[in-house]
Amino acid sequence: MTEIEAKAQTDLIARIESADGPDRELDALAHLVKFPDTKVMTDNGGYRSERPVQYTPARDLYPIWNGSGSDFADIISAPRYTASIDAALTLVPEGMAFTVARYWCEGEEAPPYYADCIDIELAKRGEDAPVYSAKAETPALALAAAALKARGV
């Protein structure tokens, strides 16, 4: 991962943690983190297949996309990671355990939901396993952010 990609993914996590609710643009960007090789058909070959069908990497199209983030998310078939706890769960890397909880600490102004991911095998062996945690306005947002952190973002 290049330094620019790492910064973009760190920015994505910050945007998810600060979001007020579901956001299809964030869904699309999270999908591209999980599936970086996603491609979009950019030329269907014409009416009678006069040309070869052309596919373009979605990550190359997103910066020049003129439509809405919602349209782009639909084109690449991105699940609703920021709206659904079930969809956010698919972002949790294999071998990780997760927790989602309502967060409350008297006198502290923080988002109401907390999520974390931990490598369960390391924890079972008694090794120091890093905990990737996030706080956000909804359970799905918190889990999506924690899962992206666990993916090495």
Side-chain angles (χ1 to χ4, degrees):
M1 175 183 318
T2 68
E3 187 176 324
I4 292 170
E5 290 170 328
K7 169 101 172 76
Q9 292 179 4
T10 300
D11 291 347
L12 170 60
I13 291 168
R15 286 181 61 194
I16 291 172
E17 288 180 304
S18 64
D20 292 331
D23 184 316
R24 290 298 282 152
E25 180 181 12
L26 297 177
D27 293 336
L29 295 172
H31 194 68
L32 293 178
V33 168
K34 183 176 179 185
F35 299 105
D37 297 327
T38 298
K39 293 187 178 178
V40 174
M41 183 189 310
T42 50
D43 184 346
N44 68 3
Y47 177 68
R48 294 199 172 131
S49 301
E50 300 102 16
R51 310 176 295 281
V53 175
Q54 298 289 316
Y55 292 91
T56 302
R59 68 178 177 277
D60 294 345
L61 289 177
Y62 185 75
I64 59 171
W65 180 253
N66 291 327
S68 70
S70 179
D71 291 342
F72 191 77
D74 292 340
I75 286 170
I76 64 171
S77 301
R80 296 181 182 277
Y81 300 116
T82 59
S84 164
I85 194 84
D86 294 327
L89 180 59
T90 67
L91 292 172
V92 176
E94 185 97 17
M96 292 274 189
F98 68 93
T99 303
V100 178
R102 179 107 171 131
Y103 179 83
W104 180 80
C105 188
E106 188 172 335
E108 185 174 331
E109 291 292 323
Y113 291 94
Y114 169 88
D116 65 27
C117 295
I118 186 170
D119 185 321
I120 195 68
E121 292 304 317
L122 285 177
K124 283 181 182 178
R125 290 193 304 261
E127 297 180 32
D128 283 338
V131 176
Y132 304 96
S133 62
K135 293 178 187 171
E137 290 297 321
T138 70
L141 288 168
L143 184 56
L148 290 174
K149 288 179 182 181
R151 287 183 167 275
V153 179

